[in-house]
Amino acid sequence: MKLLPAALGLVLILLLLVLNLNGVEARPAPTGGHQKKASSYTFFVFGDDFADNGNLPPTNPVTEMSRQWAYPYGSNYVDADGFPRPNTPSGRFSNYKIQSDFIAKMLGLEEAPPAHARTAEKTCDPSGMTFATGGACVLDSTSHEVPALAKQIYTFKKMLKDGTITENQLSRSVALVAYSGNDYAGTGVIGLGSPNDINAYIGKVTKEIAANVDQLLELGVTKVLVNNLHPIGCTPSHTRTNNYTTCDIFGNLGASIHNDNLKQVMTSKKNVYIIDVYTAFANIVDHAAGKGSELSKQFKRKLSPCCESLNSKGYCGQQNESSGELLYTVCDKSSKFFY
């Protein structure tokens, strides 16, 4: 999916100013190897598939929860030297980079720090660590097998306590909290139910984010970046029913309520910055005719996905287990598709 590079380009300049408050420089990536040039900051990443770069394991056969290790994920991969290495899945839910990779680059790193699940025990890369896991929610739930936000931070805390993450790393740390709405998927919360029920549930989610951000600050993280929610009513799962022509206004309304609540609970916190993902996306995919940003003009298909499952309940990368038949299609020019 060609989603994050385009959308986040609209907020990176502002974010760079935030990170430069203490003299962090955005330097070019190293010319070879992993993280050759030391960065001013150490980066710790929490969240879901927006920021997961390998915490969910590969399986054989591929499943919905391991599809990021198979084609067409990683189909536009480029190595650290700038050479294309097509069809190289890396555990990212993307055809190439994800949000945490771009922020890492701004911090002087080559890419997002390694995934916790793929790092040797009692070790931490000098660049930091990624705890984000695809499918994760903010709220803990028995129906989810992946670690929710509090569990991800608990693992981080344990690594601090046993010295795996050093005080030196902590003293120059930036954390990203990147969630894309899994708490609302399939719950009937957004677009359904009474307004009071919706507001109460959304309030519970945003308060949990705030409580965990407070814990990161108390542990000694120097800056925390928190995503607001993108316009989920414009995502392909919401626009498929109308042939990818219009956004679902109820889905976007729910996202707006979430974002208003998030802003309220974060306003008084020092060294916490909200990344306005909603505006970045909306400037491209949800605007009146002729009103979009310049960047939106490069996308001929703003609402439909480049990779589409043949079944509405299927997923990109799905194959027939017995015949191996591909149960999805992939577009010819991914750069023309926003999603």
Side-chain angles (χ1 to χ4, degrees):
M1 73 190 188
K2 277 276 184 177
L3 184 155
L4 294 172
L8 293 173
L10 297 175
V11 293
L12 287 183
I13 292 177
L14 177 59
L15 181 57
L16 182 59
L17 293 175
V18 168
L19 295 175
N20 267 340
L21 288 177
N22 285 345
V24 180
E25 298 176 1
R27 293 188 287 269
T31 56
H34 182 69
Q35 317 291 16
K36 274 194 170 182
K37 190 176 288 186
S39 169
S40 301
Y41 269 30
T42 307
F43 193 26
F44 297 103
V45 182
F46 306 88
D48 58 18
D49 30 303
F50 247 46
D52 185 358
N53 62 353
N55 276 312
L56 286 176
T59 61
N60 188 12
V62 170
T63 68
E64 186 172 5
M65 294 297 283
S66 67
R67 66 192 188 274
Q68 67 281 7
W69 292 104
Y71 180 84
Y73 295 91
S75 55
N76 295 96
Y77 183 79
V78 177
D79 68 19
D81 296 315
F83 295 109
R85 289 176 55 193
N87 306 332
T88 309
S90 62
R92 291 165 170 81
F93 290 81
S94 172
N95 62 331
Y96 181 25
K97 291 183 177 181
I98 54 177
Q99 179 190 13
S100 49
D101 290 313
F102 292 101
I103 296 177
K105 187 78 174 287
M106 294 166 61
L107 295 173
L109 303 170
E110 176 187 324
E111 60 185 6
H116 171 258
R118 305 184 68 78
T119 303
E121 193 174 350
K122 300 294 183 181
T123 61
C124 180
D125 192 84
S127 65
M129 184 163 284
T130 296
F131 299 91
T133 308
C137 292
V138 172
L139 301 176
D140 201 1
S141 170
T142 55
S143 63
H144 288 80
E145 297 180 0
V146 295
L149 177 57
K151 288 186 177 178
Q152 293 178 22
I153 293 178
Y154 176 73
T155 302
F156 171 73
K157 185 176 181 179
K158 280 178 59 180
M159 296 179 72
L160 274 173
K161 190 174 181 180
D162 67 20
T164 303
I165 296 173
T166 67
E167 287 297 326
N168 181 46
Q169 287 178 306
L170 188 63
S171 69
R172 51 192 178 88
S173 56
V174 171
L176 170 66
V177 177
Y179 278 86
S180 58
N182 289 328
D183 292 86
Y184 306 127
T187 63
V189 171
I190 291 184
L192 298 172
S194 72
N196 287 340
D197 289 342
I198 293 171
N199 287 332
Y201 185 81
I202 291 175
K204 189 175 180 181
V205 172
T206 53
K207 286 177 182 176
E208 179 70 6
I209 294 174
N212 282 280
V213 167
D214 283 340
Q215 186 170 175
L216 287 172
L217 294 171
E218 289 167 6
L219 289 170
V221 175
T222 61
K223 282 185 172 63
V224 182
L225 314 174
V226 184
N227 280 4
N228 66 9
L229 198 59
H230 60 293
I232 59 177
C234 296
T235 56
S237 60
H238 283 255
T239 60
R240 181 169 181 153
T241 54
N242 60 45
N243 199 29
Y244 308 116
T245 55
T246 58
C247 298
D248 171 18
I249 60 172
F250 293 106
N252 287 354
L253 175 61
S256 295
I257 295 171
H258 171 100
N259 294 344
D260 288 343
N261 281 10
L262 187 69
K263 187 175 181 180
Q264 289 177 21
V265 297
M266 295 294 176
T267 297
S268 62
K269 300 185 190 304
K270 292 183 179 180
N271 298 317
V272 177
Y273 305 90
I274 293 178
I275 301 178
D276 189 3
V277 179
Y278 188 98
T279 299
F281 278 51
N283 280 345
I284 295 174
V285 299
D286 187 27
H287 56 75
K291 296 290 186 180
S293 67
E294 283 298 311
L295 189 59
S296 72
K297 296 176 183 177
Q298 80 180 62
F299 301 104
K300 291 184 177 179
R301 304 298 296 273
K302 297 180 178 68
L303 298 179
S304 54
C306 173
C307 184
E308 181 177 16
S309 60
L310 301 182
N311 186 311
S312 62
K313 297 188 182 299
Y315 55 89
C316 180
Q318 186 176 21
Q319 297 184 20
N320 184 295
E321 288 188 18
S322 56
S323 67
E325 176 189 4
L326 302 184
L327 302 180
Y328 62 94
T329 59
V330 182
C331 68
D332 292 330
K333 295 182 179 179
S334 61
S335 62
K336 298 298 181 183
F337 285 69
F338 179 69
Y339 290 105

